[in-house]
Amino acid sequence: MKVIIIGGGAAGMMAAYQAAKEGNQVLLYEKNEKLGKKLFITGKGRCNVTNACEIEELFDHVVTNKEFLYSGFYSFSNEMVMELFEELGCPLKVERGNRVFPVSDHSSNVISALERGLKAQHVKVFLNTKVKGLIIKEEHACGVRLESGDTVMGDKIIVTTGGMSYQATGSTGDGYDFAKKVGHKVTKLTPALVPFQIREDFCQKLMGLSLRNVGVTLCADGKKVYEDFGEMLFTHFGISGPVVLSASSYIRQYQGKELKFLIDLKPALTKEQLDHRVLKDFQQVMNKDFGNSLDHLLPKKLIPVVIQLSGIPEHKKVNEITKEERQQLVSVLKRMELTITGVRGFKEAIITQGGVDVKEINPGTMESKKIRGLYFAGEVLDLDAVTGGFNLQIAWSTGYLAGMN
Ligand code: FAD
C-alpha cells in the first residue's frame, strides 16, 4: 500500500517508520526544511522523550480523553518507546520524576535516531513541501494536494500536523482545517501548559523570584479544582514554572469563573506549627522592627510583599505585634492569593488543548470513523497531558498505531 503522511514531527516520523516497517511504500511530507523542528526545542533542547513510570500511571498524567489512549499506550508503551530509541542508536537515561532524556542531553540525537530509522525503512521524505488539502472520493481518502498544485494519490493518508503552539516550528493548525473540511468536529482550541497572567501588581515586584517546594491550589468560584506541589516562578506578567504550567491544563472547563491561584509558602507545616515557628523566630528578635524579622522565614524579595499583605506596619516592634496580627501573617504565608486574569497565548504554550474530536476516531487504529483510509495522530487530536514526557508519549503511541494500521 502507498501511505501518505502529512507532517514530519514526532507522530509523523513514528507513523512513517512503523508503516514502512509493515512493508508499505511511505511518503512523508514536511513543510519545513527539516524534520522535527518542534522536537528539537522540547525539554529545553534536551527532549524529554517519555516517562519511565508504570504504564498505568501514564493515564494519570493525561488531562484530556485518557480513555481514548488505552489501546495506544498498551500497543506502544513507554517501555517500547525506550527500547526503540536504544535500538535506533539513541541511548537514554532516566532522571528525577522518571523523565527520560537522551544520554547526550541533545534533542538532535532523538531526531537523528528517527531519521536513521526512516532511512533504513526506505521512507521517502519530502521537505519544504506543504500539503494544502486532502482528496476524498466517496468518503474514502485517496490523496493529497500540495501547495505547488501537484496532487499525490495514495491508499492511506495519515494527518500528523501537530497543534497550534510555537508556530515557528511549523505547527500552524493545518490539520484542523483538513479535518473540518471533510466533516470532522474540532473541539475548542486553547493554549495549555502555559503561564498565567495575574491581576495583583505585587507580582511585578517579585519578577524573577523562583519558589521551590510550595503547595499550590487552583480555585474556580471558590471551589478547589486542582492541587500540586513543586516549583514556580514570578514573571513580568504573572506566574510560570512547572506547577503553574500543569495547573493551566485544568482551567479549560472553568472559563468565565473567578480563578484564584493560592500559594502555600510553608506546605510542610500546619497553621499551628507555623504559628509556633513564627513565635519562636519573633522571640529571637523582640526589639527589632517587624520588617527585619522575617529573614529566616522567607526569600528576601518576598518579604516586603508579605509585610504588605499581612497589614502589620513594617516599623512596628516585634514585641508589640498582637496574637491576631501574628495569625494574620501566618494566614498570608499559608494562603497567598493571586487572581488569574488569563493565560498567555499559543506563542508561549507547550501544548494545544482541543483538536479533532476523538469520538470520531477509532482508538485502536486512529482511523477516521467518517472517512475510510484517513488517520489522525499526535497533537492534532483532542488529547493532552501534563509535562514529564507524556505529550510525546501520546505522539509516539498514536503515531505508531496509525502507522501500524
Ligand atoms: P509536531 O511535533 O508539532 O509536528 C507537526 C509537524 O507537521 C511539523 O513539523 C509541521 O511543520 C508539520 N506540518 C504542519 N502542517 C503541515 C502541512 N500542511 N504540510 C506539511 N507539513 C505540515 N512534550 C514532551 O513530552 N516532552 C517535552 O520535553 C516537551 N517539551 C516541549 C517544549 C516546548 C517548548 C513545546 C512547544 C512543546 C513541548 N512538548 C514536549 C510537546 C511536544 O513537542 C508535542 O506534544 C509533540 O511535538 C507533538 O507531536 P506532533 O507530531 O503531533 O506535532
Side-chain angles (χ1 to χ4, degrees), residues 4-71:
I4 296 173
I5 299 174
I6 314 171
M13 284 195 271
M14 188 55 76
Y17 175 74
Q18 203 50 44
K21 223 175 155 197
E22 293 300 308
N24 301 296
Q25 183 198 351
V26 180
L27 278 57
L28 174 59
Y29 290 95
E30 167 55 53
K31 67 179 173 186
N32 287 326
E33 69 291 357
K34 55 185 172 196
L35 296 172
K37 252 191 161 175
K38 185 171 273 177
L39 258 182
F40 186 72
I41 59 163
T42 56
K44 299 199 171 111
R46 295 169 64 221
C47 185
N48 181 188
V49 184
T50 183
N51 193 286
C53 62
E54 292 298 318
I55 186 160
E56 300 78 36
E57 284 175 41
L58 285 178
F59 296 95
D60 299 339
H61 295 88
V62 176
V63 179
T64 311
N65 291 319
K66 58 182 82 180
E67 314 74 32
F68 178 82
L69 285 163
Y70 197 83
S71 278

Side-chain angles (χ1 to χ4, degrees), residues 7 61 75 100 102 118 130 163 168 181 199 214 224 233-234 256 267 280 293 329 331 334 337 344 347 395:
H61 295 88
S75 304
V100 178
L118 297 180
K130 182 175 172 176
K181 281 202 179 115
R199 175 171 305 145
V214 287
K224 188 193 294 181
L233 173 78
F234 288 90
K280 235 171 91 190
S293 68
L329 169 66
S331 294
K334 290 297 283 178
E337 203 174 294
R344 303 291 281 178
K347 228 172 148 183

